[in-house]
Amino acid sequence: MQPSSDIARLFEIMAALRDPQTGCPWDAEQDFASIAPYTIEEAFEVADAIERKDWLDLRDELGDLLLQVVFHSQMAAEQRLFTFDDVVLAITRKMIRRHPHVFGAVTAEDAQAAKRSWNDIKAEEKAERETERDGRGAAERATAGFLSGLPAALPALVRAQKLQEKAAEVGFDWSEAEPILSKLEEEIGELRAALRSQEAAAVKDEMGDVLFSLVNLCRHIGADAEGALRGTNEKFRRRFHAVEAELGRQGSSLQEASLEEMERLWQQAKSVCP
């Protein structure tokens, strides 16, 4: 079998891998649940390539992410749930419906208006889908709650920000950033009290409240919490690598250096690794 830019070849490859007699034993035994973590991982690797502005990596990582869509679609087709064509039809229908200002007669003055329209139509679609879904009664739908529908598997920072954004849609929100700083200080005080109590469950709970407040502050100052932390992670990696490299130039190593020496080199690294 030869490589090809035709997506049909990718489906041929996946079908061959999934063949129970002649396929790959690992691929053949996978199911939706076992593949889901890889799907999430591939999405993060796409984001990482973009963050690094490595466009060759981005090309390859997008291919890996596409493979995940094909993998899930193949498994669904085997179970007669849906096909890849159904996936494409669903997303094209969704994009046309959610952009009436592009594909219809509606106008959107700016990006915010377009986003509001998107969210309104999304809510309509969700209600329609729940009505159509088999096995779910009206009583269960009624008790689902306004904040339901956000996947629990989302990264915690992302889910926190989305929960807050959704609550803000009905006015449950701070009007500005300053009161959030006061709330953050309050939560830090409660964390200090929990640390003094040495109760592990209380410390964990209060730490969560601090993080949730930080996400709220990020949202109000226009910063993406997940992106902000990724940036700091990378900054930490660069500076720590600079410390390691400098120790190597001095004939030492991370294992041999004292904390005081590493701290001195860290302060130096901050000036060259912003």
Side-chain angles (χ1 to χ4, degrees):
M1 188 176 290
Q2 297 297 315
S4 171
S5 60
D6 187 340
I7 195 169
R9 179 53 50 85
L10 185 55
F11 277 97
E12 292 172 1
I13 291 171
M14 181 51 64
L17 292 173
R18 290 279 297 173
D19 188 288
Q21 276 76 46
T22 60
C24 170
W26 186 90
D27 289 279
E29 71 179 14
Q30 301 309 307
D31 57 25
F32 294 116
S34 66
I35 289 298
Y38 297 99
T39 308
I40 295 169
E41 180 182 337
E42 296 299 351
F44 276 115
E45 290 182 358
V46 166
D48 177 65
I50 293 171
E51 188 81 20
R52 293 183 285 107
K53 294 182 171 58
D54 189 327
W55 311 127
L56 286 177
D57 262 8
L58 178 59
R59 179 200 63 189
D60 289 349
E61 297 302 345
L62 286 172
D64 291 344
L65 187 57
L66 176 60
L67 177 64
Q68 293 297 307
V69 177
V70 170
F71 208 142
H72 285 286
S73 297
Q74 175 67 26
M75 292 187 291
E78 292 166 1
Q79 299 177 42
R80 300 184 183 278
L81 300 174
F82 57 82
T83 67
F84 181 76
D85 289 346
D86 296 324
V87 173
V88 175
L89 176 61
I91 190 59
T92 54
R93 180 189 293 127
K94 180 187 297 182
M95 296 305 290
I96 293 169
R97 180 176 179 178
R98 292 190 187 180
H99 292 86
H101 51 289
V102 176
F103 303 109
V106 176
T107 59
E109 298 79 14
D110 53 30
Q112 287 302 314
K115 185 176 181 180
R116 285 194 298 271
S117 174
W118 172 284
N119 287 332
D120 290 343
I121 296 170
K122 183 177 179 180
E124 293 173 6
E125 292 171 350
K126 180 181 178 183
E128 292 168 2
R129 189 165 58 250
E130 295 301 346
T131 300
E132 295 170 1
R133 181 171 286 129
D134 293 335
R136 182 170 185 179
E140 185 180 350
R141 290 196 299 274
T143 58
F146 184 72
L147 294 180
S148 64
L150 291 174
L154 283 173
L157 290 179
V158 174
R159 191 163 188 258
Q161 190 156 333
K162 287 185 176 295
L163 285 169
Q164 293 168 8
E165 289 171 352
K166 193 165 179 63
E169 292 176 11
V170 292
F172 192 76
D173 196 13
W174 300 96
S175 58
E176 55 186 8
E178 188 62 34
I180 304 175
L181 286 170
S182 299
K183 180 63 176 176
L184 179 57
E185 290 166 355
E186 175 188 327
E187 297 294 357
I188 291 173
E190 293 177 3
L191 175 60
R192 286 195 177 101
L195 286 168
R196 287 193 296 270
S197 73
Q198 297 185 341
E199 296 179 10
V203 170
K204 180 181 177 181
D205 185 61
E206 297 300 342
M207 190 69 246
D209 290 347
V210 169
L211 288 171
F212 196 80
S213 295
L214 282 170
V215 171
N216 209 355
L217 181 59
C218 283
R219 187 171 60 87
H220 273 266
I221 64 175
D224 172 67
E226 187 76 21
L229 185 55
R230 281 202 308 270
T232 296
N233 288 342
E234 180 58 20
K235 179 170 62 178
F236 179 86
R237 187 201 64 78
R238 291 196 309 269
R239 291 176 177 176
F240 196 82
H241 178 70
V243 170
E244 183 180 16
E246 181 58 30
L247 285 170
R249 282 190 288 271
Q250 297 177 9
S252 184
S253 68
L254 293 170
Q255 291 75 19
E256 296 169 335
S258 66
L259 177 59
E260 292 75 14
E261 188 176 5
M262 284 192 286
E263 175 61 24
R264 178 179 59 80
L265 294 176
W266 176 268
Q267 295 303 321
Q268 292 180 13
K270 287 173 66 175
S271 63
V272 295
C273 299

